[in-house]
Amino acid sequence: MAKRYWLMKSEPDVYSIEDLRRDEVCHWEGVRNYQARNLLRDQIRVGDGVLFYHSNAKPPGVAGVAKVVKNGYPDHTAFDPESPYHDPKSDPDAPRWFMVDVAFVEAFPALVPLATLQQTAGLEDMVVTKKGMRLSVQPVTREEWRIVLRLGRRAGKERAPRPRESR
DNA sequence: GCCAACGTTGGC
DNA sequence: GCCAACGTTGGC
């Protein structure tokens, strides 16, 4: 399967790209939407690229890049009564919710705001720019990926020198 | 903090 | 299986 690309939302107050930089790898836990669940379980694969999106932020936007390092597996936080993501209806013998593991790749020197995405030619059909689209795990096309990475790296170039990145 | 757009739940 | 009520998401 060729490498594919995704956008995943996280509230930076809960878990930000800087948290992922520190942790290096994280479980993408707590997704409780069936459409997103299906992507995590069936579509997203090791090696795929992830745009790390800060939602409910000021401003919201793409903060950096991660990569998938573990395919979908049951989200154990659903089984934990102490977890904020606890779901008593998820049975360990037939898990309802899934997660993947992602690893830090890079943080953009400056966030690419949603408003910029909405104004950028070539991103007209990008899911995150659509009004009313709340899906927290979304597919991204190869071309959208290319454009957003260029925006993120260019944004940094205008403000501060960017250290050599591995990719 | 507001509220529009969605998704889910539950009565019938 | 409809749909009203309710809860959540997430931009503004």
Side-chain angles (χ1 to χ4, degrees):
Chain A
M1 178 63 72
K3 176 173 175 174
R4 286 188 287 182
Y5 304 96
W6 312 94
L7 179 146
M8 299 192 190
K9 298 180 184 175
S10 181
E11 301 193 17
D13 290 347
V14 178
Y15 197 84
S16 73
I17 189 79
E18 291 306 322
D19 293 321
L20 182 58
R21 187 207 294 275
R22 178 198 64 216
D23 295 343
E24 297 181 9
V25 175
C26 75
H27 317 294
W28 204 266
E29 65 192 39
V31 173
R32 298 291 179 267
N33 169 282
Y34 289 104
Q35 206 177 336
R37 186 279 309 270
N38 291 346
L39 294 176
L40 292 169
R41 186 188 58 191
D42 305 332
Q43 302 289 322
I44 300 177
R45 290 294 177 259
V46 169
D48 286 356
V50 175
L51 296 177
F52 195 117
Y53 182 87
H54 283 177
S55 63
N56 247 326
K58 290 182 290 193
V62 179
V65 175
K67 66 181 175 188
V68 178
V69 294
K70 184 171 178 178
N71 290 346
Y73 63 105
D75 181 343
H76 51 75
T77 65
F79 312 137
D80 177 5
E82 301 299 311
S83 169
Y85 304 120
H86 180 230
D87 181 357
K89 286 179 278 192
S90 185
D91 176 354
D93 293 329
R96 177 175 298 204
W97 304 117
F98 284 73
M99 58 185 177
V100 298
D101 289 356
V102 306
F104 179 82
V105 174
E106 70 180 276
F108 293 149
L111 186 91
V112 180
L114 175 60
T116 299
L117 301 178
Q118 289 167 333
Q119 293 161 11
T120 298
L123 301 183
E124 294 85 356
D125 295 326
M126 192 171 178
V127 178
V128 77
T129 66
K130 306 264 188 193
K131 184 167 152 61
M133 173 44 75
R134 310 190 315 195
L135 195 61
S136 65
V137 177
Q138 309 176 351
V140 170
T141 68
R142 171 191 275 285
E143 183 64 8
E144 289 162 353
W145 171 269
R146 195 181 62 76
I147 293 172
V148 173
L149 257 64
R150 199 173 47 191
L151 286 171
R153 291 166 174 173
R154 180 195 297 162
K157 204 185 266 183
E158 288 164 5
R159 290 161 198 237
R162 182 171 66 87
R164 250 334 200 206
E165 296 287 350
S166 60
R167 60 193 304 285

PDB file of all heavy atoms in Angstrom, chain A residues 144-163:
ATOM      1  N   GLU A 144      -2.422  17.989  -1.236  1.00  0.00           N
ATOM      2  CA  GLU A 144      -2.697  18.838  -0.063  1.00  0.00           C
ATOM      3  C   GLU A 144      -1.551  18.752   0.944  1.00  0.00           C
ATOM      4  O   GLU A 144      -1.121  19.757   1.521  1.00  0.00           O
ATOM      5  CB  GLU A 144      -4.022  18.414   0.592  1.00  0.00           C
ATOM      6  CG  GLU A 144      -5.240  18.764  -0.236  1.00  0.00           C
ATOM      7  CD  GLU A 144      -6.490  17.981   0.169  1.00  0.00           C
ATOM      8  OE1 GLU A 144      -6.387  17.061   1.003  1.00  0.00           O
ATOM      9  OE2 GLU A 144      -7.572  18.283  -0.365  1.00  0.00           O
ATOM     10  N   TRP A 145      -1.069  17.547   1.128  1.00  0.00           N
ATOM     11  CA  TRP A 145       0.070  17.325   2.030  1.00  0.00           C
ATOM     12  C   TRP A 145       1.270  18.169   1.604  1.00  0.00           C
ATOM     13  O   TRP A 145       1.888  18.869   2.410  1.00  0.00           O
ATOM     14  CB  TRP A 145       0.418  15.837   2.002  1.00  0.00           C
ATOM     15  CG  TRP A 145       1.674  15.434   2.679  1.00  0.00           C
ATOM     16  CD1 TRP A 145       2.922  15.341   2.117  1.00  0.00           C
ATOM     17  CD2 TRP A 145       1.829  15.070   4.055  1.00  0.00           C
ATOM     18  NE1 TRP A 145       3.832  14.929   3.050  1.00  0.00           N
ATOM     19  CE2 TRP A 145       3.197  14.756   4.245  1.00  0.00           C
ATOM     20  CE3 TRP A 145       0.947  14.972   5.131  1.00  0.00           C
ATOM     21  CZ2 TRP A 145       3.704  14.355   5.478  1.00  0.00           C
ATOM     22  CZ3 TRP A 145       1.453  14.564   6.355  1.00  0.00           C
ATOM     23  CH2 TRP A 145       2.810  14.265   6.529  1.00  0.00           C
ATOM     24  N   ARG A 146       1.564  18.123   0.323  1.00  0.00           N
ATOM     25  CA  ARG A 146       2.721  18.848  -0.205  1.00  0.00           C
ATOM     26  C   ARG A 146       2.570  20.354   0.036  1.00  0.00           C
ATOM     27  O   ARG A 146       3.504  21.031   0.469  1.00  0.00           O
ATOM     28  CB  ARG A 146       2.841  18.553  -1.704  1.00  0.00           C
ATOM     29  CG  ARG A 146       4.155  18.914  -2.337  1.00  0.00           C
ATOM     30  CD  ARG A 146       4.149  18.586  -3.831  1.00  0.00           C
ATOM     31  NE  ARG A 146       3.121  19.348  -4.559  1.00  0.00           N
ATOM     32  CZ  ARG A 146       3.241  20.641  -4.874  1.00  0.00           C
ATOM     33  NH1 ARG A 146       4.334  21.308  -4.534  1.00  0.00           N
ATOM     34  NH2 ARG A 146       2.286  21.272  -5.531  1.00  0.00           N
ATOM     35  N   ILE A 147       1.355  20.847  -0.241  1.00  0.00           N
ATOM     36  CA  ILE A 147       1.118  22.290  -0.096  1.00  0.00           C
ATOM     37  C   ILE A 147       1.235  22.714   1.368  1.00  0.00           C
ATOM     38  O   ILE A 147       1.856  23.727   1.694  1.00  0.00           O
ATOM     39  CB  ILE A 147      -0.267  22.655  -0.665  1.00  0.00           C
ATOM     40  CG1 ILE A 147      -0.276  22.458  -2.185  1.00  0.00           C
ATOM     41  CG2 ILE A 147      -0.640  24.090  -0.299  1.00  0.00           C
ATOM     42  CD1 ILE A 147      -1.663  22.603  -2.817  1.00  0.00           C
ATOM     43  N   VAL A 148       0.644  21.931   2.274  1.00  0.00           N
ATOM     44  CA  VAL A 148       0.653  22.311   3.690  1.00  0.00           C
ATOM     45  C   VAL A 148       2.080  22.257   4.247  1.00  0.00           C
ATOM     46  O   VAL A 148       2.489  23.152   5.007  1.00  0.00           O
ATOM     47  CB  VAL A 148      -0.290  21.412   4.510  1.00  0.00           C
ATOM     48  CG1 VAL A 148      -0.146  21.708   6.002  1.00  0.00           C
ATOM     49  CG2 VAL A 148      -1.735  21.614   4.074  1.00  0.00           C
ATOM     50  N   LEU A 149       2.854  21.263   3.855  1.00  0.00           N
ATOM     51  CA  LEU A 149       4.241  21.214   4.337  1.00  0.00           C
ATOM     52  C   LEU A 149       5.046  22.410   3.847  1.00  0.00           C
ATOM     53  O   LEU A 149       5.854  22.975   4.585  1.00  0.00           O
ATOM     54  CB  LEU A 149       4.918  19.901   3.912  1.00  0.00           C
ATOM     55  CG  LEU A 149       5.023  18.890   5.054  1.00  0.00           C
ATOM     56  CD1 LEU A 149       3.644  18.455   5.506  1.00  0.00           C
ATOM     57  CD2 LEU A 149       5.870  17.699   4.665  1.00  0.00           C
ATOM     58  N   ARG A 150       4.786  22.791   2.595  1.00  0.00           N
ATOM     59  CA  ARG A 150       5.509  23.955   2.070  1.00  0.00           C
ATOM     60  C   ARG A 150       5.125  25.211   2.845  1.00  0.00           C
ATOM     61  O   ARG A 150       5.967  26.033   3.187  1.00  0.00           O
ATOM     62  CB  ARG A 150       5.194  24.112   0.582  1.00  0.00           C
ATOM     63  CG  ARG A 150       6.203  24.959  -0.168  1.00  0.00           C
ATOM     64  CD  ARG A 150       5.931  24.931  -1.657  1.00  0.00           C
ATOM     65  NE  ARG A 150       4.511  25.142  -1.924  1.00  0.00           N
ATOM     66  CZ  ARG A 150       3.959  24.950  -3.117  1.00  0.00           C
ATOM     67  NH1 ARG A 150       4.687  24.525  -4.124  1.00  0.00           N
ATOM     68  NH2 ARG A 150       2.679  25.173  -3.294  1.00  0.00           N
ATOM     69  N   LEU A 151       3.818  25.344   3.139  1.00  0.00           N
ATOM     70  CA  LEU A 151       3.364  26.497   3.926  1.00  0.00           C
ATOM     71  C   LEU A 151       4.013  26.510   5.308  1.00  0.00           C
ATOM     72  O   LEU A 151       4.459  27.551   5.785  1.00  0.00           O
ATOM     73  CB  LEU A 151       1.840  26.465   4.095  1.00  0.00           C
ATOM     74  CG  LEU A 151       0.985  26.816   2.885  1.00  0.00           C
ATOM     75  CD1 LEU A 151      -0.478  26.520   3.189  1.00  0.00           C
ATOM     76  CD2 LEU A 151       1.170  28.269   2.478  1.00  0.00           C
ATOM     77  N   GLY A 152       4.052  25.369   5.938  1.00  0.00           N
ATOM     78  CA  GLY A 152       4.594  25.299   7.295  1.00  0.00           C
ATOM     79  C   GLY A 152       6.072  25.634   7.329  1.00  0.00           C
ATOM     80  O   GLY A 152       6.536  26.344   8.228  1.00  0.00           O
ATOM     81  N   ARG A 153       6.806  25.159   6.357  1.00  0.00           N
ATOM     82  CA  ARG A 153       8.241  25.399   6.343  1.00  0.00           C
ATOM     83  C   ARG A 153       8.554  26.811   5.886  1.00  0.00           C
ATOM     84  O   ARG A 153       9.486  27.443   6.384  1.00  0.00           O
ATOM     85  CB  ARG A 153       8.920  24.371   5.440  1.00  0.00           C
ATOM     86  CG  ARG A 153       8.834  22.991   6.072  1.00  0.00           C
ATOM     87  CD  ARG A 153       9.169  21.879   5.127  1.00  0.00           C
ATOM     88  NE  ARG A 153       9.207  20.613   5.843  1.00  0.00           N
ATOM     89  CZ  ARG A 153       9.353  19.432   5.257  1.00  0.00           C
ATOM     90  NH1 ARG A 153       9.468  19.368   3.951  1.00  0.00           N
ATOM     91  NH2 ARG A 153       9.362  18.341   5.982  1.00  0.00           N
ATOM     92  N   ARG A 154       7.749  27.337   4.981  1.00  0.00           N
ATOM     93  CA  ARG A 154       7.951  28.709   4.530  1.00  0.00           C
ATOM     94  C   ARG A 154       7.637  29.688   5.673  1.00  0.00           C
ATOM     95  O   ARG A 154       8.342  30.662   5.884  1.00  0.00           O
ATOM     96  CB  ARG A 154       7.056  29.016   3.336  1.00  0.00           C
ATOM     97  CG  ARG A 154       7.227  30.427   2.829  1.00  0.00           C
ATOM     98  CD  ARG A 154       6.094  30.824   1.911  1.00  0.00           C
ATOM     99  NE  ARG A 154       6.060  29.999   0.717  1.00  0.00           N
ATOM    100  CZ  ARG A 154       4.995  29.886  -0.075  1.00  0.00           C
ATOM    101  NH1 ARG A 154       3.880  30.496   0.235  1.00  0.00           N
ATOM    102  NH2 ARG A 154       5.040  29.135  -1.146  1.00  0.00           N
ATOM    103  N   ALA A 155       6.547  29.383   6.413  1.00  0.00           N
ATOM    104  CA  ALA A 155       6.170  30.260   7.525  1.00  0.00           C
ATOM    105  C   ALA A 155       7.336  30.414   8.480  1.00  0.00           C
ATOM    106  O   ALA A 155       7.591  31.491   9.005  1.00  0.00           O
ATOM    107  CB  ALA A 155       4.968  29.677   8.270  1.00  0.00           C
ATOM    108  N   GLY A 156       8.072  29.324   8.668  1.00  0.00           N
ATOM    109  CA  GLY A 156       9.216  29.394   9.559  1.00  0.00           C
ATOM    110  C   GLY A 156      10.344  30.228   8.981  1.00  0.00           C
ATOM    111  O   GLY A 156      10.971  31.002   9.689  1.00  0.00           O
ATOM    112  N   LYS A 157      10.543  30.085   7.682  1.00  0.00           N
ATOM    113  CA  LYS A 157      11.660  30.767   7.049  1.00  0.00           C
ATOM    114  C   LYS A 157      11.542  32.281   7.194  1.00  0.00           C
ATOM    115  O   LYS A 157      12.528  32.986   7.346  1.00  0.00           O
ATOM    116  CB  LYS A 157      11.685  30.401   5.565  1.00  0.00           C
ATOM    117  CG  LYS A 157      13.043  30.551   4.921  1.00  0.00           C
ATOM    118  CD  LYS A 157      12.973  30.281   3.441  1.00  0.00           C
ATOM    119  CE  LYS A 157      13.293  28.854   3.076  1.00  0.00           C
ATOM    120  NZ  LYS A 157      13.283  28.603   1.645  1.00  0.00           N
ATOM    121  N   GLU A 158      10.299  32.774   7.187  1.00  0.00           N
ATOM    122  CA  GLU A 158      10.099  34.220   7.301  1.00  0.00           C
ATOM    123  C   GLU A 158      10.383  34.727   8.711  1.00  0.00           C
ATOM    124  O   GLU A 158      10.655  35.888   8.908  1.00  0.00           O
ATOM    125  CB  GLU A 158       8.657  34.579   6.935  1.00  0.00           C
ATOM    126  CG  GLU A 158       8.413  34.439   5.442  1.00  0.00           C
ATOM    127  CD  GLU A 158       6.944  34.411   5.114  1.00  0.00           C
ATOM    128  OE1 GLU A 158       6.137  34.586   6.038  1.00  0.00           O
ATOM    129  OE2 GLU A 158       6.616  34.202   3.939  1.00  0.00           O
ATOM    130  N   ARG A 159      10.272  33.848   9.687  1.00  0.00           N
ATOM    131  CA  ARG A 159      10.374  34.296  11.075  1.00  0.00           C
ATOM    132  C   ARG A 159      11.692  33.933  11.729  1.00  0.00           C
ATOM    133  O   ARG A 159      12.261  34.707  12.456  1.00  0.00           O
ATOM    134  CB  ARG A 159       9.238  33.689  11.906  1.00  0.00           C
ATOM    135  CG  ARG A 159       7.913  34.297  11.530  1.00  0.00           C
ATOM    136  CD  ARG A 159       6.775  33.412  11.979  1.00  0.00           C
ATOM    137  NE  ARG A 159       5.564  33.775  11.264  1.00  0.00           N
ATOM    138  CZ  ARG A 159       4.448  34.135  11.861  1.00  0.00           C
ATOM    139  NH1 ARG A 159       4.370  34.181  13.152  1.00  0.00           N
ATOM    140  NH2 ARG A 159       3.385  34.436  11.158  1.00  0.00           N
ATOM    141  N   ALA A 160      12.141  32.727  11.484  1.00  0.00           N
ATOM    142  CA  ALA A 160      13.351  32.276  12.168  1.00  0.00           C
ATOM    143  C   ALA A 160      13.997  31.202  11.319  1.00  0.00           C
ATOM    144  O   ALA A 160      13.311  30.495  10.578  1.00  0.00           O
ATOM    145  CB  ALA A 160      12.996  31.709  13.542  1.00  0.00           C
ATOM    146  N   PRO A 161      15.302  31.071  11.397  1.00  0.00           N
ATOM    147  CA  PRO A 161      15.961  30.008  10.642  1.00  0.00           C
ATOM    148  C   PRO A 161      15.463  28.661  11.129  1.00  0.00           C
ATOM    149  O   PRO A 161      15.250  28.457  12.323  1.00  0.00           O
ATOM    150  CB  PRO A 161      17.447  30.181  10.991  1.00  0.00           C
ATOM    151  CG  PRO A 161      17.566  31.474  11.726  1.00  0.00           C
ATOM    152  CD  PRO A 161      16.221  31.822  12.245  1.00  0.00           C
ATOM    153  N   ARG A 162      15.274  27.781  10.182  1.00  0.00           N
ATOM    154  CA  ARG A 162      14.781  26.456  10.546  1.00  0.00           C
ATOM    155  C   ARG A 162      15.961  25.496  10.615  1.00  0.00           C
ATOM    156  O   ARG A 162      16.733  25.384   9.664  1.00  0.00           O
ATOM    157  CB  ARG A 162      13.781  25.973   9.505  1.00  0.00           C
ATOM    158  CG  ARG A 162      13.171  24.632   9.828  1.00  0.00           C
ATOM    159  CD  ARG A 162      12.038  24.314   8.871  1.00  0.00           C
ATOM    160  NE  ARG A 162      12.506  24.139   7.502  1.00  0.00           N
ATOM    161  CZ  ARG A 162      12.942  23.002   7.001  1.00  0.00           C
ATOM    162  NH1 ARG A 162      12.967  21.933   7.738  1.00  0.00           N
ATOM    163  NH2 ARG A 162      13.341  22.923   5.758  1.00  0.00           N
ATOM    164  N   PRO A 163      16.073  24.802  11.727  1.00  0.00           N
ATOM    165  CA  PRO A 163      17.142  23.800  11.799  1.00  0.00           C
ATOM    166  C   PRO A 163      16.948  22.743  10.721  1.00  0.00           C
ATOM    167  O   PRO A 163      15.815  22.453  10.322  1.00  0.00           O
ATOM    168  CB  PRO A 163      16.979  23.183  13.185  1.00  0.00           C
ATOM    169  CG  PRO A 163      16.018  24.046  13.915  1.00  0.00           C
ATOM    170  CD  PRO A 163      15.233  24.806  12.907  1.00  0.00           C
TER     171      PRO A 163
END
